[in-house]
Amino acid sequence: MSKTLNPSHPIRKSSALLLSPPFFFPKTPSFLLLCSAPPHAPLTQPSKAAETLSAGPVMPPRPSLHSLLLMAASASSSSAAAAGGDTGLLLAARHRRIPVAAAAWAAGGQRIRLLHSFSGARVPRRAEVACCVRSAPAARPAGPVTVRSRNVHSEKNYKAASEERLGQLVQKLQNEGINPKQWRLGNYQRMMCPKCKGGSSEELSLSVYIRMDRTNATWNCFRSTCGWRGFIQPDGVPKVSQAKGDIETESDQEVNANKAGNKVYRKISEEDLNLEPLCDELVAYFSERMISTETLRRNKVMQRKGRNKISIAFTYRRDGVVVGCKYREVDKKFTQEANTEKIFYGLDDIKRAQDIIIVEGEIDKLSMDEAGFRNCVSVPDGAPPKVSTKIPDKEQDKKYQYLWNCKDYLDWASRIILATDADLPGQALAEELARRLGKERCWRVKWPKKNETDTCKDANEVLMFLGPQALRKVIEDAELYPIRGLFAFKDFFPEIDNYYLGIHGDELGIHTGWKSMDDLYKVVPGELTVVTGVPNSGKSEWIDALLCNINQECGWKFVLCSMENKVREHARKLLEKRIKKPFFDARYGGSAERMTPDEFDAGKQWLNDTFHLIRCEDDSLPSINWVLDLAKAAVLRHGVRGLVIDPYNELDHQRPSNQTETEYVSQILTKIKRFAQHHSCHVWFVAHPRQLHNWNGGPPNMYDISGSAHFINKCDNGIVIHRNRDKNAGPLDVVQVCVRKVRNKVIGQIGDAFLTYDRVTGQFVDAGKATIAAATAATEGTVQKRTNSYGKSNVAHEMLYPQMDEDDSVSGQDSII
């Protein structure tokens, strides 16, 4: 990567050699002008380690490109040697050496060194040729050198502190496995990453930077599959130094100035970069990748010679002017021109385009061009290893600065197709781009298979293996980029197909176990059933019987949050329904035989396998969030299919002061419904009605539930459990199950079912025809009485029902439940 040279010396700016036109050296990476130390500094030859620091192990890529580039470089070197043994670069240096030396002498006699590397002559890499032009030694100022910092130190103390900080930084870097042959301060050093080892190509992907004032060091691996980065400081340096050190150097001040104001980029041109048209070998290489000469010419793909090898040069242009350049070397190592504006590759091709294609690499952009899509650009910096947790501010969004630099071009687009690579970094890049560009206008491609087992990785593989027609089809078949919470029906077609075919078996609901209820109510996974009824009507007993029936028919498991029941009492009720025998030899059992010890042991195993409990271990009340979190754990861990929350008034209801009870109930029911739908779990939620004044003994209405009308508005099924307490009004062992709401007409309808309750075993069975007729007549009489009194048949009860224990257990001679 070529960089412009800062003429400032790290210690004394006055030591810089100021050159004015026409004494400029060519801006090439192989010809650099470096200013020496002050005149009193001794002239030293560079060490071998310094000469080879930036060089790394070069691994040959594909034999075809490697051989082609070497052939081209060899041909270039041979022609240069035949012309006189020197390359054009060396000749240019010879022509400029004498005027520059004279100018340096006139400027005050500073020592300069020329660094160059010639492809024609066999000289060591980064060899230094000393051209010494100096006058009499300048007088050294007396006293310590003043260093700009918060405190004034002597030169000796400052150097000692700096060396100590540097030693700590070097030790900490070595502890991380970062150990180059030589350290450079104030410059980014490329070296082998100790984590990923440069991948298969062994590229020097790790960039390490140590500040001139030795206050911190940073490193970052730019390989997309690695992304290792870090930051260290010496001991005793304040943490604020991460942003800005206590001691600022000349270079640091320039960096800060660039950050504070508008960044000034280098102006480059093809001549400055020594770019030239592609040689025949590189044209043949692109031809192997199905890229034609016309496409290369239109996209101005060029080459650059240097260091005995040729690099492919992808020129980044805005309005036809070169603003950046990216190089691909033999060993598949990518470098870019430093201090240039980051933009899309092919930016001019999307000017005022409404449809844009974004790919991950320059060759993919050329491949899209071959398929007929010229409205395509490539990102300049590749893909990240993973999706970031949040999007930084514009000023801090350095990796995606090219998006902000090209904002005027992107604002025109109404449809952006993201054709990034199929691997994980490529998908992470698509997500990062979509988040910044707006997912509502983004589309994504689905890469086809190139054979029976493998899928094409990118656009160029589709072009090479399947041809341009297949690549065009990929773009034409691009899908809308998914937005969380926004779907199309086709996203649910598999689920709809299963519903139509009845594959799961529960699409039409699970039977309750009572024939009289089959036409009224069935249990569907993912729905919410709200159950209500006046106290001591048998709500909890009926739900327990329903769970036992479902378990016997389908094997469902359940999680119970029943705050009103003691665990031992709840176990007794469930075991009696399962074994169909009383738990005790007690009065309610009459002459029935008690369950045997063997039956009891088998029943305990059934309890443990079928039910899980949510209980508070202290005297605090559970919140709905706490209950649902534990229910989620039961679903994922034990595979439960049903949740019972009994009752609503036993939950902790600490709603905010600015929230009404209606809003609070609505929020609770919404959470429960989302839990049920997401986990395909049926939820039974028991809620007591408010105190009904002048109640005459009839069943309440769903709108009578204490708290809010949302209990009936938001539930999928609404059921009222009611029993007769008047001997003159009908049988006392009959329970009326009033289905008052069924959202899904496929599984039920509004109506009443009558069941008889067995006090001995706690079982519910279908009532006989005579019992149903008597109970129906009694119910119609009650309704008619209310209609005559109030002119309407709703539940405007005018008779206070007796206050009873909330627990739906046996409590009195006339109680059946």
Side-chain angles (χ1 to χ4, degrees), residues 436-479:
R436 290 163 173 81
L437 298 173
K439 293 183 179 181
E440 66 278 358
R441 59 172 179 162
C442 288
W443 299 59
R444 67 177 180 181
V445 301
K446 183 176 181 181
W447 298 114
K449 286 186 174 294
K450 60 182 177 182
N451 52 44
E452 295 181 356
T453 57
D454 300 327
T455 301
C456 291
K457 177 178 178 290
D458 51 30
N460 187 246
E461 283 199 0
V462 176
L463 181 65
M464 292 176 62
F465 287 92
L466 304 178
Q469 294 288 349
L471 185 53
R472 279 195 290 270
K473 181 172 177 55
V474 168
I475 300 301
E476 292 169 357
D477 295 343
E479 302 174 345

Short mmCIF file of all heavy atoms in Angstrom, two decimals, residues 436-479:
data_model
loop_
_atom_site.label_atom_id
_atom_site.label_comp_id
_atom_site.label_asym_id
_atom_site.label_seq_id
_atom_site.Cartn_x
_atom_site.Cartn_y
_atom_site.Cartn_z
N ARG A 436 -28.40 -0.12 7.18
CA ARG A 436 -28.05 1.28 6.91
C ARG A 436 -28.81 1.85 5.72
O ARG A 436 -29.10 3.05 5.69
CB ARG A 436 -26.54 1.40 6.68
CG ARG A 436 -25.72 1.18 7.94
CD ARG A 436 -24.26 0.88 7.63
NE ARG A 436 -23.44 0.83 8.83
CZ ARG A 436 -23.35 -0.22 9.64
NH1 ARG A 436 -24.05 -1.31 9.36
NH2 ARG A 436 -22.59 -0.18 10.71
N LEU A 437 -29.11 1.01 4.75
CA LEU A 437 -29.80 1.49 3.55
C LEU A 437 -31.31 1.49 3.70
O LEU A 437 -32.00 2.15 2.93
CB LEU A 437 -29.41 0.61 2.35
CG LEU A 437 -27.93 0.61 1.97
CD1 LEU A 437 -27.66 -0.43 0.89
CD2 LEU A 437 -27.49 1.99 1.50
N GLY A 438 -31.82 0.74 4.67
CA GLY A 438 -33.27 0.61 4.83
C GLY A 438 -33.75 -0.72 4.27
O GLY A 438 -33.74 -0.91 3.04
N LYS A 439 -34.16 -1.63 5.13
CA LYS A 439 -34.56 -2.95 4.67
C LYS A 439 -35.80 -2.90 3.78
O LYS A 439 -36.03 -3.82 2.99
CB LYS A 439 -34.83 -3.86 5.88
CG LYS A 439 -33.59 -4.18 6.68
CD LYS A 439 -33.90 -5.14 7.82
CE LYS A 439 -32.64 -5.48 8.61
NZ LYS A 439 -32.89 -6.42 9.71
N GLU A 440 -36.59 -1.85 3.91
CA GLU A 440 -37.82 -1.78 3.13
C GLU A 440 -37.55 -1.65 1.64
O GLU A 440 -38.42 -1.95 0.82
CB GLU A 440 -38.68 -0.61 3.61
CG GLU A 440 -38.09 0.77 3.36
CD GLU A 440 -37.07 1.19 4.40
OE1 GLU A 440 -36.85 0.41 5.36
OE2 GLU A 440 -36.50 2.29 4.26
N ARG A 441 -36.36 -1.22 1.24
CA ARG A 441 -36.05 -1.12 -0.20
C ARG A 441 -34.95 -2.09 -0.63
O ARG A 441 -34.39 -1.95 -1.71
CB ARG A 441 -35.65 0.31 -0.55
CG ARG A 441 -34.43 0.85 0.19
CD ARG A 441 -34.01 2.18 -0.39
NE ARG A 441 -32.86 2.75 0.31
CZ ARG A 441 -32.09 3.71 -0.18
NH1 ARG A 441 -32.33 4.19 -1.39
NH2 ARG A 441 -31.08 4.19 0.52
N CYS A 442 -34.63 -3.05 0.23
CA CYS A 442 -33.58 -4.02 -0.08
C CYS A 442 -34.18 -5.36 -0.49
O CYS A 442 -35.22 -5.78 0.01
CB CYS A 442 -32.66 -4.21 1.13
SG CYS A 442 -31.57 -2.80 1.45
N TRP A 443 -33.46 -6.03 -1.38
CA TRP A 443 -33.79 -7.38 -1.83
C TRP A 443 -32.53 -8.22 -1.66
O TRP A 443 -31.42 -7.69 -1.53
CB TRP A 443 -34.22 -7.38 -3.31
CG TRP A 443 -35.44 -6.55 -3.57
CD1 TRP A 443 -35.61 -5.22 -3.33
CD2 TRP A 443 -36.67 -7.00 -4.12
NE1 TRP A 443 -36.86 -4.81 -3.69
CE2 TRP A 443 -37.54 -5.88 -4.18
CE3 TRP A 443 -37.14 -8.23 -4.57
CZ2 TRP A 443 -38.83 -5.96 -4.67
CZ3 TRP A 443 -38.42 -8.31 -5.07
CH2 TRP A 443 -39.26 -7.19 -5.11
N ARG A 444 -32.68 -9.53 -1.66
CA ARG A 444 -31.53 -10.41 -1.55
C ARG A 444 -31.64 -11.54 -2.56
O ARG A 444 -32.75 -11.91 -2.98
CB ARG A 444 -31.42 -10.98 -0.14
CG ARG A 444 -32.54 -11.93 0.26
CD ARG A 444 -32.32 -12.51 1.65
NE ARG A 444 -33.40 -13.43 2.02
CZ ARG A 444 -33.46 -14.05 3.18
NH1 ARG A 444 -32.53 -13.85 4.09
NH2 ARG A 444 -34.46 -14.88 3.44
N VAL A 445 -30.49 -12.09 -2.92
CA VAL A 445 -30.46 -13.16 -3.92
C VAL A 445 -30.27 -14.50 -3.23
O VAL A 445 -29.80 -14.57 -2.09
CB VAL A 445 -29.32 -12.93 -4.94
CG1 VAL A 445 -29.50 -11.60 -5.65
CG2 VAL A 445 -27.96 -12.99 -4.25
N LYS A 446 -30.63 -15.53 -3.92
CA LYS A 446 -30.41 -16.90 -3.45
C LYS A 446 -29.54 -17.59 -4.48
O LYS A 446 -29.95 -17.82 -5.62
CB LYS A 446 -31.75 -17.63 -3.29
CG LYS A 446 -31.60 -19.03 -2.73
CD LYS A 446 -32.96 -19.69 -2.51
CE LYS A 446 -32.79 -21.09 -1.90
NZ LYS A 446 -34.12 -21.74 -1.70
N TRP A 447 -28.30 -17.88 -4.09
CA TRP A 447 -27.35 -18.45 -5.04
C TRP A 447 -27.71 -19.89 -5.36
O TRP A 447 -28.02 -20.68 -4.46
CB TRP A 447 -25.94 -18.38 -4.47
CG TRP A 447 -25.45 -16.98 -4.20
CD1 TRP A 447 -25.17 -16.43 -3.00
CD2 TRP A 447 -25.21 -15.97 -5.18
NE1 TRP A 447 -24.77 -15.12 -3.15
CE2 TRP A 447 -24.78 -14.81 -4.48
CE3 TRP A 447 -25.31 -15.91 -6.56
CZ2 TRP A 447 -24.46 -13.63 -5.12
CZ3 TRP A 447 -24.98 -14.71 -7.20
CH2 TRP A 447 -24.56 -13.59 -6.49
N PRO A 448 -27.64 -20.28 -6.63
CA PRO A 448 -28.02 -21.65 -7.03
C PRO A 448 -26.89 -22.65 -6.76
O PRO A 448 -25.77 -22.28 -6.43
CB PRO A 448 -28.28 -21.50 -8.54
CG PRO A 448 -27.35 -20.39 -8.95
CD PRO A 448 -27.29 -19.44 -7.79
N LYS A 449 -27.19 -23.91 -6.92
CA LYS A 449 -26.19 -24.96 -6.76
C LYS A 449 -25.38 -25.08 -8.04
O LYS A 449 -25.91 -25.01 -9.15
CB LYS A 449 -26.88 -26.30 -6.44
CG LYS A 449 -27.41 -26.40 -5.03
CD LYS A 449 -27.94 -27.79 -4.75
CE LYS A 449 -28.33 -27.95 -3.29
NZ LYS A 449 -27.14 -27.86 -2.39
N LYS A 450 -24.06 -25.24 -7.87
CA LYS A 450 -23.21 -25.42 -9.05
C LYS A 450 -23.03 -26.91 -9.39
O LYS A 450 -22.57 -27.24 -10.48
CB LYS A 450 -21.85 -24.76 -8.84
CG LYS A 450 -21.06 -25.29 -7.67
CD LYS A 450 -19.76 -24.51 -7.54
CE LYS A 450 -18.95 -24.95 -6.32
NZ LYS A 450 -17.72 -24.16 -6.17
N ASN A 451 -23.36 -27.77 -8.41
CA ASN A 451 -23.39 -29.21 -8.67
C ASN A 451 -24.37 -29.83 -7.68
O ASN A 451 -25.13 -29.12 -7.04
CB ASN A 451 -21.99 -29.84 -8.58
CG ASN A 451 -21.28 -29.47 -7.28
OD1 ASN A 451 -21.88 -29.52 -6.21
ND2 ASN A 451 -20.01 -29.10 -7.39
N GLU A 452 -24.32 -31.13 -7.54
CA GLU A 452 -25.30 -31.81 -6.69
C GLU A 452 -25.12 -31.50 -5.21
O GLU A 452 -26.07 -31.59 -4.43
CB GLU A 452 -25.22 -33.32 -6.92
CG GLU A 452 -25.63 -33.75 -8.32
CD GLU A 452 -25.56 -35.26 -8.48
OE1 GLU A 452 -25.13 -35.94 -7.52
OE2 GLU A 452 -25.93 -35.76 -9.56
N THR A 453 -23.92 -31.11 -4.82
CA THR A 453 -23.65 -30.93 -3.38
C THR A 453 -23.32 -29.49 -3.00
O THR A 453 -23.67 -29.05 -1.91
CB THR A 453 -22.49 -31.84 -2.95
OG1 THR A 453 -21.33 -31.54 -3.75
CG2 THR A 453 -22.87 -33.29 -3.12
N ASP A 454 -22.63 -28.76 -3.88
CA ASP A 454 -22.12 -27.44 -3.52
C ASP A 454 -22.98 -26.33 -4.11
O ASP A 454 -23.58 -26.48 -5.18
CB ASP A 454 -20.68 -27.27 -4.02
CG ASP A 454 -19.74 -28.30 -3.42
OD1 ASP A 454 -19.97 -28.67 -2.25
OD2 ASP A 454 -18.80 -28.73 -4.11
N THR A 455 -23.00 -25.21 -3.39
CA THR A 455 -23.73 -24.02 -3.82
C THR A 455 -22.74 -22.95 -4.27
O THR A 455 -21.65 -22.82 -3.69
CB THR A 455 -24.59 -23.46 -2.67
OG1 THR A 455 -25.52 -24.47 -2.26
CG2 THR A 455 -25.36 -22.23 -3.11
N CYS A 456 -23.09 -22.22 -5.30
CA CYS A 456 -22.24 -21.14 -5.77
C CYS A 456 -22.03 -20.11 -4.67
O CYS A 456 -22.97 -19.75 -3.96
CB CYS A 456 -22.85 -20.47 -7.00
SG CYS A 456 -22.87 -21.52 -8.48
N LYS A 457 -20.82 -19.64 -4.53
CA LYS A 457 -20.48 -18.71 -3.45
C LYS A 457 -20.80 -17.28 -3.81
O LYS A 457 -21.21 -16.48 -2.97
CB LYS A 457 -19.00 -18.85 -3.12
CG LYS A 457 -18.49 -17.89 -2.04
CD LYS A 457 -17.03 -18.16 -1.75
CE LYS A 457 -16.47 -17.18 -0.73
NZ LYS A 457 -16.34 -15.80 -1.27
N ASP A 458 -20.61 -16.90 -5.09
CA ASP A 458 -20.79 -15.51 -5.47
C ASP A 458 -21.15 -15.43 -6.95
O ASP A 458 -21.37 -16.44 -7.62
CB ASP A 458 -19.51 -14.71 -5.17
CG ASP A 458 -18.26 -15.34 -5.75
OD1 ASP A 458 -18.37 -16.02 -6.79
OD2 ASP A 458 -17.17 -15.18 -5.16
N ALA A 459 -21.19 -14.20 -7.44
CA ALA A 459 -21.62 -13.97 -8.82
C ALA A 459 -20.66 -14.58 -9.82
O ALA A 459 -21.08 -15.12 -10.85
CB ALA A 459 -21.77 -12.47 -9.07
N ASN A 460 -19.36 -14.51 -9.55
CA ASN A 460 -18.40 -15.03 -10.51
C ASN A 460 -18.48 -16.54 -10.63
O ASN A 460 -18.31 -17.09 -11.73
CB ASN A 460 -16.98 -14.60 -10.12
CG ASN A 460 -15.95 -14.96 -11.18
OD1 ASN A 460 -15.08 -15.78 -10.96
ND2 ASN A 460 -16.07 -14.37 -12.36
N GLU A 461 -18.76 -17.24 -9.53
CA GLU A 461 -18.91 -18.69 -9.63
C GLU A 461 -20.14 -19.07 -10.44
O GLU A 461 -20.13 -20.04 -11.19
CB GLU A 461 -18.98 -19.30 -8.22
CG GLU A 461 -17.64 -19.41 -7.52
CD GLU A 461 -17.66 -20.39 -6.37
OE1 GLU A 461 -18.73 -20.98 -6.11
OE2 GLU A 461 -16.61 -20.57 -5.74
N VAL A 462 -21.22 -18.31 -10.28
CA VAL A 462 -22.41 -18.58 -11.10
C VAL A 462 -22.07 -18.37 -12.57
O VAL A 462 -22.45 -19.17 -13.44
CB VAL A 462 -23.57 -17.66 -10.68
CG1 VAL A 462 -24.78 -17.87 -11.59
CG2 VAL A 462 -23.96 -17.94 -9.23
N LEU A 463 -21.34 -17.30 -12.88
CA LEU A 463 -20.97 -17.02 -14.27
C LEU A 463 -20.08 -18.11 -14.83
O LEU A 463 -20.26 -18.55 -15.98
CB LEU A 463 -20.27 -15.66 -14.34
CG LEU A 463 -19.82 -15.19 -15.72
CD1 LEU A 463 -21.04 -14.94 -16.61
CD2 LEU A 463 -18.96 -13.94 -15.61
N MET A 464 -19.12 -18.58 -14.05
CA MET A 464 -18.16 -19.57 -14.54
C MET A 464 -18.79 -20.96 -14.69
O MET A 464 -18.53 -21.65 -15.67
CB MET A 464 -16.96 -19.65 -13.58
CG MET A 464 -16.08 -18.42 -13.56
SD MET A 464 -14.76 -18.55 -12.33
CE MET A 464 -13.86 -19.97 -12.95
N PHE A 465 -19.63 -21.36 -13.73
CA PHE A 465 -20.15 -22.73 -13.73
C PHE A 465 -21.49 -22.85 -14.46
O PHE A 465 -21.78 -23.90 -15.03
CB PHE A 465 -20.30 -23.24 -12.31
CG PHE A 465 -19.00 -23.55 -11.63
CD1 PHE A 465 -18.36 -22.59 -10.88
CD2 PHE A 465 -18.42 -24.80 -11.75
CE1 PHE A 465 -17.15 -22.86 -10.25
CE2 PHE A 465 -17.21 -25.08 -11.13
CZ PHE A 465 -16.57 -24.11 -10.38
N LEU A 466 -22.30 -21.80 -14.42
CA LEU A 466 -23.66 -21.90 -14.97
C LEU A 466 -23.92 -20.95 -16.14
O LEU A 466 -24.89 -21.14 -16.86
CB LEU A 466 -24.69 -21.65 -13.86
CG LEU A 466 -24.58 -22.56 -12.63
CD1 LEU A 466 -25.62 -22.17 -11.59
CD2 LEU A 466 -24.75 -24.02 -13.02
N GLY A 467 -23.09 -19.92 -16.28
CA GLY A 467 -23.24 -19.03 -17.42
C GLY A 467 -24.01 -17.75 -17.11
O GLY A 467 -24.63 -17.61 -16.04
N PRO A 468 -23.98 -16.78 -18.03
CA PRO A 468 -24.63 -15.48 -17.79
C PRO A 468 -26.14 -15.57 -17.67
O PRO A 468 -26.75 -14.78 -16.95
CB PRO A 468 -24.20 -14.63 -19.00
CG PRO A 468 -23.82 -15.64 -20.05
CD PRO A 468 -23.29 -16.81 -19.32
N GLN A 469 -26.76 -16.51 -18.37
CA GLN A 469 -28.22 -16.65 -18.26
C GLN A 469 -28.63 -17.00 -16.84
O GLN A 469 -29.60 -16.47 -16.30
CB GLN A 469 -28.72 -17.73 -19.24
CG GLN A 469 -28.54 -17.39 -20.71
CD GLN A 469 -29.52 -16.32 -21.15
OE1 GLN A 469 -30.45 -15.98 -20.44
NE2 GLN A 469 -29.29 -15.77 -22.34
N ALA A 470 -27.88 -17.91 -16.20
CA ALA A 470 -28.18 -18.28 -14.82
C ALA A 470 -27.97 -17.11 -13.88
O ALA A 470 -28.74 -16.92 -12.92
CB ALA A 470 -27.31 -19.47 -14.40
N LEU A 471 -26.94 -16.30 -14.13
CA LEU A 471 -26.70 -15.14 -13.27
C LEU A 471 -27.82 -14.11 -13.43
O LEU A 471 -28.23 -13.49 -12.45
CB LEU A 471 -25.34 -14.52 -13.61
CG LEU A 471 -24.88 -13.37 -12.72
CD1 LEU A 471 -24.92 -13.75 -11.26
CD2 LEU A 471 -23.48 -12.90 -13.13
N ARG A 472 -28.31 -13.95 -14.64
CA ARG A 472 -29.45 -13.03 -14.84
C ARG A 472 -30.68 -13.53 -14.09
O ARG A 472 -31.42 -12.74 -13.49
CB ARG A 472 -29.76 -12.89 -16.33
CG ARG A 472 -28.85 -11.91 -17.05
CD ARG A 472 -29.41 -11.54 -18.42
NE ARG A 472 -29.34 -12.66 -19.34
CZ ARG A 472 -28.31 -12.90 -20.13
NH1 ARG A 472 -27.25 -12.12 -20.09
NH2 ARG A 472 -28.31 -13.93 -20.95
N LYS A 473 -30.88 -14.84 -14.10
CA LYS A 473 -32.06 -15.39 -13.40
C LYS A 473 -31.94 -15.19 -11.90
O LYS A 473 -32.94 -14.97 -11.21
CB LYS A 473 -32.20 -16.88 -13.75
CG LYS A 473 -33.42 -17.53 -13.09
CD LYS A 473 -33.65 -18.93 -13.59
CE LYS A 473 -34.82 -19.61 -12.88
NZ LYS A 473 -36.05 -18.84 -12.96
N VAL A 474 -30.72 -15.29 -11.38
CA VAL A 474 -30.52 -15.06 -9.94
C VAL A 474 -30.98 -13.66 -9.56
O VAL A 474 -31.67 -13.47 -8.54
CB VAL A 474 -29.04 -15.28 -9.56
CG1 VAL A 474 -28.76 -14.76 -8.16
CG2 VAL A 474 -28.67 -16.74 -9.66
N ILE A 475 -30.61 -12.68 -10.35
CA ILE A 475 -31.01 -11.29 -10.05
C ILE A 475 -32.51 -11.10 -10.26
O ILE A 475 -33.19 -10.43 -9.47
CB ILE A 475 -30.20 -10.32 -10.91
CG1 ILE A 475 -28.70 -10.47 -10.62
CG2 ILE A 475 -30.65 -8.88 -10.67
CD1 ILE A 475 -28.33 -10.22 -9.19
N GLU A 476 -33.04 -11.67 -11.32
CA GLU A 476 -34.47 -11.52 -11.59
C GLU A 476 -35.33 -12.19 -10.52
O GLU A 476 -36.45 -11.75 -10.25
CB GLU A 476 -34.80 -12.10 -12.96
CG GLU A 476 -34.19 -11.30 -14.12
CD GLU A 476 -34.29 -12.04 -15.44
OE1 GLU A 476 -34.78 -13.19 -15.42
OE2 GLU A 476 -33.87 -11.47 -16.48
N ASP A 477 -34.82 -13.24 -9.89
CA ASP A 477 -35.57 -13.97 -8.85
C ASP A 477 -35.25 -13.49 -7.44
O ASP A 477 -35.55 -14.18 -6.47
CB ASP A 477 -35.29 -15.47 -8.95
CG ASP A 477 -35.80 -16.08 -10.24
OD1 ASP A 477 -36.64 -15.44 -10.89
OD2 ASP A 477 -35.36 -17.19 -10.60
N ALA A 478 -34.62 -12.33 -7.33
CA ALA A 478 -34.27 -11.82 -6.00
C ALA A 478 -35.53 -11.64 -5.15
O ALA A 478 -36.59 -11.28 -5.65
CB ALA A 478 -33.53 -10.49 -6.13
N GLU A 479 -35.39 -11.91 -3.85
CA GLU A 479 -36.51 -11.85 -2.93
C GLU A 479 -36.41 -10.61 -2.05
O GLU A 479 -35.33 -10.07 -1.83
CB GLU A 479 -36.53 -13.11 -2.04
CG GLU A 479 -36.62 -14.41 -2.81
CD GLU A 479 -36.50 -15.61 -1.90
OE1 GLU A 479 -36.06 -15.41 -0.73
OE2 GLU A 479 -36.81 -16.73 -2.33
#
